[in-house]
């Protein structure tokens, strides 16, 4: 089956009790995990965080950006996703090989991330200083950790469901998630109905793999309510690196280190941690950079 395009759908229930966001991130996950050369467990972990980051971009206003990072004591060490209000997403992972066997038929994401660690959120909202929030990992499964973040840091109850399905060759068959936020004044009966629908919902990754659209998934969760949904927003991989940024990174090194690099015969290359593009610098380039940084 041909992969459907990655999209994000957001909206509200007609009674204003819930904010709804659902995203399909299959292409993003496949592309980014291929760049990062992840093994199956790392693919599922990074895929979940990519879906989480995409969902959170649905809460941004035009011109705003965010970064979502998970740091744990497991073999993956650190995963980070960045995104903006225009649906541009990128992601990276410190150690792309978890080398863990499945546990009870499932990829052991929690052990790969580690039971001790933190979830960090940084939002550039166009203010003088970025917003920063951090919570301890509650389950290391990412979805529950993000719901915990919303409750603790933003005082907003939320349901987060993230899913990544791999094919027999460990390729990405489907990836995505949904975020349901409970808004002030939500009646208890509405919460009970939502809990019932969540309990009956098939696995999200299977719904996405069979081509179920994000809007239909949201409608399935609220069968008796009218939904006010915005048109789907495309999601795409985008990295903000370029040669000038790589040169600026070299220029930020101490002068002694710059001069040592400039004396190198072979030169060097700087690799972007997100897209893995390499920017080569000759000894002449490095000498020029060092001169620019010398008082």
């Amino acid at each position: 089956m041909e992969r459907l395009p990655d999209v994000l759908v957001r909206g509200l229930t007609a009674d204003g009790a819930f904010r709804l966001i659902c995203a399909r991130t299959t292409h993003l996950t496949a592309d980014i995990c291929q760049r990062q050369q992840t093994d199956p467990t790392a693919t599922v972990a990074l895929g979940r965080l990519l879906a989480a980051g995409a969902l959170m971009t649905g809460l941004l206003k035009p011109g705003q950006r965010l970064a979502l990072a998970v740091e744990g004591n497991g073999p993956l060490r650190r995963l980070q996703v960045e995104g903006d209000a225009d649906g541009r997403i990128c992601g990276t992972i410190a150690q792309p090989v978890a080398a863990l066997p499945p546990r009870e038929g499932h990829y052991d994401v929690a052990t790969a991330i580690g039971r001790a660690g933190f979830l960090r959120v940084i939002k550039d909202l166009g203010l003088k200083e970025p917003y920063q929030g951090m919570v301890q990992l509650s389950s290391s499964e990412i979805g529950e950790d993000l719901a915990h973040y919303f409750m603790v840091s933003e005082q907003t109850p939320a349901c987060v469901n993230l899913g990544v399905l791999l094919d027999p060759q460990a390729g990405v068959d489907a990836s995505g998630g949904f975020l349901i936020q409970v808004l002030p004044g939500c009646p208890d009966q509405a919460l009970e109905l939502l809990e019932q629908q969540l309990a009956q919902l098939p696995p999200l990754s299977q719904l996405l793999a069979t081509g179920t659209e994000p809007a239909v998934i949201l409608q399935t969760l609220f069968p008796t309510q009218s939904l006010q949904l915005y048109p789907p927003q495309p999601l795409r991989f985008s990295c903000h690196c370029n040669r000038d940024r790589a040169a600026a990174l070299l220029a930020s090194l101490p002068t002694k280190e710059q001069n040592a690099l400039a004396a190198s015969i072979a030169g060097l290359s700087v690799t972007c941690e997100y897209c893995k593009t390499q920017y080569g610098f000759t000894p002449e380039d490095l000498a020029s950079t060092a001169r620019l940084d010398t008082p």
Side-chain angles (χ1 to χ4, degrees):
M1 181 177 176
E2 184 179 355
R3 289 177 183 160
L4 297 170
D6 289 345
V7 293
L8 179 142
V9 174
R10 55 181 178 159
L12 298 166
T13 53
D15 61 2
F18 299 96
R19 178 181 290 116
L20 322 171
I21 306 176
C22 188
R24 180 171 53 226
T25 56
T26 307
H27 287 278
L28 275 169
T29 301
D31 183 7
I32 292 172
C33 288
Q34 183 178 31
R35 293 173 187 271
Q36 299 291 320
Q37 292 294 291
T38 50
D39 75 357
T41 304
T43 296
V44 174
L46 184 55
R48 289 182 188 176
L49 193 65
L50 287 165
L55 293 171
M56 291 193 70
T57 66
L59 301 171
L60 299 177
K61 296 179 180 179
Q64 296 180 344
R65 298 182 51 84
L66 64 79
L68 183 64
V70 170
E71 302 175 55
N73 63 349
L76 299 184
R77 293 168 42 202
R78 188 174 193 274
L79 304 81
Q80 180 162 314
V81 169
E82 295 185 12
D84 64 20
D86 292 325
R88 294 176 290 200
I89 311 289
C90 61
T92 186
I93 187 168
Q95 172 51 259
V97 179
L100 292 173
R103 174 176 291 183
E104 298 178 358
H106 298 281
Y107 293 105
D108 194 359
V109 170
T111 300
I113 289 174
R115 301 291 179 173
F118 299 91
L119 169 67
R120 303 175 188 270
V121 176
I122 302 174
K123 297 180 185 179
D124 180 359
L125 304 179
L127 305 175
K128 188 174 181 180
E129 297 291 336
Y131 163 86
Q132 298 191 46
M134 182 179 70
V135 294
Q136 287 188 325
L137 296 175
S138 60
S139 71
S140 300
E141 297 283 356
I142 300 181
E144 294 174 6
D145 302 299
L146 185 57
H148 178 59
Y149 160 80
F150 278 117
M151 177 61 76
V152 173
S153 292
E154 301 192 6
Q155 291 77 54
T156 304
C159 170
V160 182
N161 189 325
L162 309 173
V164 179
L165 181 65
L166 304 187
D167 63 27
Q169 290 74 44
V172 179
D173 202 20
S175 179
F178 63 75
L179 165 64
I180 310 296
Q181 288 189 322
V182 182
L183 300 180
C186 176
D188 291 341
Q189 184 180 10
L191 280 173
E192 293 173 1
L193 289 173
L194 175 59
E195 290 174 357
Q196 293 173 12
Q197 292 303 125
L198 288 169
Q200 298 172 12
L201 190 73
L204 175 64
S205 58
Q206 292 184 12
L207 289 174
L208 293 169
T210 56
T212 307
E213 292 291 340
V216 174
I217 293 173
L218 293 177
Q219 289 164 353
T220 302
L221 290 171
F222 297 92
T224 63
Q225 287 213 50
S226 296
L227 305 184
Q228 300 174 348
L229 301 179
Y230 294 97
Q233 177 181 18
L235 298 172
R236 63 194 184 281
F237 172 79
S238 179
C239 184
H240 49 72
C241 77
N242 56 46
R243 184 176 176 81
D244 289 342
R245 287 178 180 267
L249 176 64
L250 293 174
S252 69
L253 296 173
T255 302
K256 183 177 180 180
E257 292 186 26
Q258 292 185 53
N259 290 333
L261 290 172
S264 155
I265 296 176
L268 58 77
S269 64
V270 176
T271 302
C272 173
E273 63 176 323
Y274 288 98
C275 67
K276 301 303 180 181
T277 298
Q278 292 187 340
Y279 298 95
F281 293 88
T282 67
E284 291 76 17
D285 295 330
L286 297 170
S288 175
T289 301
R291 283 197 300 273
L292 288 174
D293 194 56
T294 301

